[in-house]
Each structure stands twice: as C-alpha cells, then as structure tokens.
Amino acid sequence: MERQIIKIGLLGLGTVGRGVFRILQENRESIQQRIGARLEIKKILVRSLAKDRGIELPAGILTTDLNEITGDPEIKIVVEVLGGTNPTLDYVLAALSNGKSVVTANKDMVAEYGQVLFETAKKYNCDLLFEASVAGGIPIIRTLKQSLAGNRIEEVFGIINGTTNYMLTKMTREGSGFAQVLAEAQAKGYAEADPTADVGGFDAARKIAILASIAFNTRVPLSKVHTEGITGITADDITFADELGYVIKLLGIAKNRPDGIEVRVHPTFIPKHHPLAAVGDVFNAVFVRGNAVGDTMFYGKGAGELPTASAVVADIMDAARDIMQGVPGFIGCTCFDHKPVLDIGETFSKYYIRLKVADKPGVLASVALIFGNKEVSLKSVIQKGATGKTAELVLITHKVQEQNVQDALMDLKQLSSVLEVANVIRVEGEDNGHA
C-alpha cells in the first residue's frame, strides 16, 4: 500500500539542521512505521548554495528563496533551526500564515515572541512545536504539556545551561579560576567567542521562562525573570561551599505560590547529597514537582547535533500525525492563567553571605545586630583568614525574604568595619530535596 508522503521545508543547515537531516535519513523506515507516513525534506533554505555542507544532499534541494518553502502548497511542515530572531521570526510567521505547521529549536524566539507565534498558529490552525528549545534532547516540554497535564505543577528547577555547568564543574574539581575555565570552554567549543548569553545567565533565563509558562499556565515575559550569571563566582566561594557541604550550580528556578510565581536564574548552593549536585560537565537536569506525581527528574544532554535534532524530529513526527488525523494545532498554547510574576524581593531562600571585615573586637556583634534588626536569622557564622588587620566572615542564614537580606546588606555597607560584601549566593534544595 502506498503510504502518504508529508513534505518538509528545513530552514537552516547548520549543526542541528544536519542532525535533523541525518536522523530523518537514517531512521526513515522506523519513523515511517511509527507514524504511518513517509517524511521527505523537499527544500532546505540556506544563505549560500556554494558552501560545503559536509553531507551528501539530493540535487536541487538547497534554496536561498524563502518563498520556495513558505509558498509551496506541497510543504506541510516547516522546521526552523536557524536561531536568532531576525529575520527568523518573520520567516516562521510567514510559514504559519501559509497554513504550515512549524517545528522550532529556537529558545530566543519562543521566549520573546511566544504570544504572537501562538496566536498566529491558532489563527491558521497550525501546530507550533518547540521541544528542542529547552534542554536539547531531554523531553521536558512534552512532559509538562502532556504526561504531567493532570498535575498542579508546584516547582520546576534545574541545570539548563551546559556551558556554565561545565565551567562550574571544572572550577569545583580542579580549583581553577573563572577566566581559565572560560578559556578552556571556548577552546572546546562549549562557549561562544562572546560568552555573555551563557555566563550571564541569559540563555538559562529564556529556558526557565518557557518552562514556567508551560508549567504554571501563565505567560512569563523574559523581562520578569530575575537573572544573575556566574561571573562573580570565585575559587574562594567554591572552597567555602565544599567546606560547608554544598556545591555551586547555576539553576533556573520556578515556583508556583498561592500569591504568584517565582522565576529566577542565579548561582545556587545546593547540598552535596542533592541529585543535581552530581550532574556534571555539559549535562542538563530538570526537576519537576507535581502535586500528584511528586518528584521527577529528567537528565541528559542539553545541546549538540543529535540530541537536539532528536527532539526536533520527535516534534516533526507529532506534527505529521496531527496532519494525518486532520487536527493540526491539536495541542496549542496552554497559558490560560494570569498569575503575577513576583519581584525578586518577594522571594524566600536561605543565603550564603561572604564579608570582608576589619579584624577587631565587636565587628561580629555589629554585623549580627544589623541582620537581627532586619529579621534575618543566622544559621551559622564562620571566621576565616584572620590576619590581624582583615578577616572574612562566612554566614549562612535561615530561610528569609530576599528584601530583608537586601535591606540588611545596604546597612552593612555603611559600617566602616565592613570592607566589602564579597558575595551573596542563595542556598536551595535543603527542604525535602526541593529547591
């Protein structure tokens, strides 16, 4: 029996694009059996026809003309792996407006322009699928939208940037400094020449905005995600974390509270016994806590040609099934709630605070008094590196509201005996294993 052929237009043939092409070629028989149709890439949009792509391609498959894809009635699914938002957003909107389902791996576009994309997909009855936009090959989007749909999701948190996880892992294991580890990450291709998106926390912010929007059924604007990177993490912080029984990870954290939702990215102390503490190198891991399922953890490669392409191809197969059943757009936008995104000052956490102070009597008492006045309860205080002139105070607080800590730090900076607030890092993961 002749099987239906569903034709695909591919926007981009970089690392992920080549992976998508390879998987569709190498696994075409099993894919065909699973969905009951043959998937065929008809056209691939590229910037240059002359560039060597490193793979064997059918004659005439490459094009520099977007209209050969968006204007072709035979092409039913458009796969976007170009990255960026300009001109990519216009390309994707053109595809949707022409009634084509879209599969994308583009976290920047989904995080910043999700609303207009979903509205356009709904208007033209198309699928908009984006599993590969978060955590590479880890099936976290589909899990939140479908497998855990019967739950009230309470928390989503995890390691969602492989570059910073690699760097913090190296700093922890080898005692290396930030600059040295960044250079190594760039040499291995884990970090870009301009690493700001990764080390500044912005890549993770886009991903946690997407995850929180799905988990809590509320659109989370990227501008509402409190974002801190790892550029301020020093070897001293790594050492103190180890002595105190923690490791430092850059986490994306989203919590569903009765009064709103917390969405934040920042370096975090987590206990060594926490499962996330063992996630090293470029691997990602996402914890999800639901009121019915309890705790689940998803672990795997968060980037790379084939892991990311694996997620893209799974979305292509879903889009193809919907087309065959006549129900494109079957699972659309789920942001039907309008919960407020809380300001960072309204969040609660424990804190690691490192102060450089004058080494003289009465300093600790004056520091403790300021914290007490702002209702910040101290769990432990350790004095390190006393020289007779200066010393370091390393403090861990009990769980407290962020604003109280910030108010206390403002007052501390006015004390002549406090020479520097060297670092402030939130502590998570000690309450029943949750962030």
Side-chain angles (χ1 to χ4, degrees), residues 289-364:
R289 184 185 184 199
N291 69 330
V293 74
D295 288 348
T296 56
M297 176 176 167
F298 303 84
Y299 169 86
K301 290 187 176 179
E305 177 183 332
L306 292 179
T308 305
S310 166
V312 171
V313 171
D315 276 349
I316 294 171
M317 292 169 69
D318 272 359
R321 288 189 186 100
D322 287 351
I323 289 168
M324 292 172 67
Q325 297 296 323
V327 289
F330 181 62
I331 298 179
C333 182
T334 54
C335 293
F336 50 79
D337 278 343
H338 302 282
K339 299 173 183 172
V341 180
L342 300 171
D343 182 78
I344 188 64
E346 300 175 87
T347 64
F348 288 81
S349 186
K350 299 176 184 177
Y351 293 81
Y352 154 92
I353 300 169
R354 181 160 62 90
L355 305 174
K356 291 187 178 180
V357 300
D359 186 11
K360 61 183 183 181
V363 171
L364 178 56

Side-chain angles (χ1 to χ4, degrees), residues 18 50 53 61 63 93 110 133 206 232 271 297 355 403 417 422:
R18 287 194 300 271
R53 304 291 165 177
I61 196 172
T63 181
L93 290 174
V110 175
S133 67
R206 291 180 174 91
M297 176 176 167
L355 305 174
Q403 192 59 57
S417 56

Side-chain angles (χ1 to χ4, degrees), residues 168-414:
L168 290 171
T169 301
K170 291 277 286 187
M171 290 173 74
T172 300
R173 290 176 181 169
E174 300 175 6
S176 306
F178 175 86
Q180 178 187 340
V181 170
L182 174 57
E184 290 177 24
Q186 289 171 320
K188 291 191 173 186
Y190 296 150
E192 301 289 341
D194 179 359
T196 307
D198 291 320
V199 301
F202 304 111
D203 173 81
R206 291 180 174 91
K207 294 171 181 174
I208 199 65
I210 293 169
L211 291 179
S213 297
I214 297 166
F216 308 144
N217 307 117
T218 293
R219 191 167 304 286
V220 176
L222 187 57
S223 61
K224 294 282 190 179
V225 181
H226 177 82
T227 306
E228 299 173 23
I230 66 167
T231 53
I233 301 299
T234 68
D236 286 342
D237 297 315
I238 299 278
T239 299
F240 291 140
D242 179 61
E243 290 180 12
L244 293 164
Y246 301 97
V247 296
I248 301 177
K249 297 290 185 182
L250 182 75
L251 297 187
I253 298 173
K255 300 184 181 185
N256 195 1
R257 288 172 29 183
D259 56 341
I261 57 179
E262 298 181 14
V263 192
R264 44 194 168 97
V265 169
H266 50 68
T268 311
F269 271 40
I270 55 173
K272 291 180 181 178
H273 61 74
H274 194 286
L276 284 177
V279 177
D281 298 317
V282 295
F283 281 86
N284 283 199
V286 180
F287 262 82
V288 180
R289 184 185 184 199
N291 69 330
V293 74
D295 288 348
T296 56
M297 176 176 167
F298 303 84
Y299 169 86
K301 290 187 176 179
E305 177 183 332
L306 292 179
T308 305
S310 166
V312 171
V313 171
D315 276 349
I316 294 171
M317 292 169 69
D318 272 359
R321 288 189 186 100
D322 287 351
I323 289 168
M324 292 172 67
Q325 297 296 323
V327 289
F330 181 62
I331 298 179
C333 182
T334 54
C335 293
F336 50 79
D337 278 343
H338 302 282
K339 299 173 183 172
V341 180
L342 300 171
D343 182 78
I344 188 64
E346 300 175 87
T347 64
F348 288 81
S349 186
K350 299 176 184 177
Y351 293 81
Y352 154 92
I353 300 169
R354 181 160 62 90
L355 305 174
K356 291 187 178 180
V357 300
D359 186 11
K360 61 183 183 181
V363 171
L364 178 56
S366 61
V367 167
L369 178 63
I370 284 177
F371 279 117
N373 287 341
K374 299 301 180 181
E375 298 183 348
V376 177
S377 174
L378 300 178
K379 179 181 177 183
S380 65
V381 180
I382 303 169
Q383 180 173 303
K384 307 286 287 187
T387 65
K389 291 186 177 181
T390 64
E392 283 194 312
L393 293 180
V394 177
L395 309 94
I396 301 289
T397 75
H398 288 287
K399 183 172 274 190
V400 64
Q401 188 169 350
E402 168 95 16
Q403 192 59 57
N404 293 23
V405 173
Q406 295 301 332
D407 290 345
L409 293 173
M410 287 291 290
D411 286 355
L412 281 173
K413 290 174 182 177
Q414 306 307 311

Side-chain angles (χ1 to χ4, degrees), residues 94-114:
L96 292 169
S97 300
N98 279 280
K100 303 182 190 308
S101 290
V102 168
V103 171
T104 179
N106 194 327
K107 60 185 173 292
D108 297 355
M109 186 175 66
V110 175
E112 295 184 44
Y113 301 102

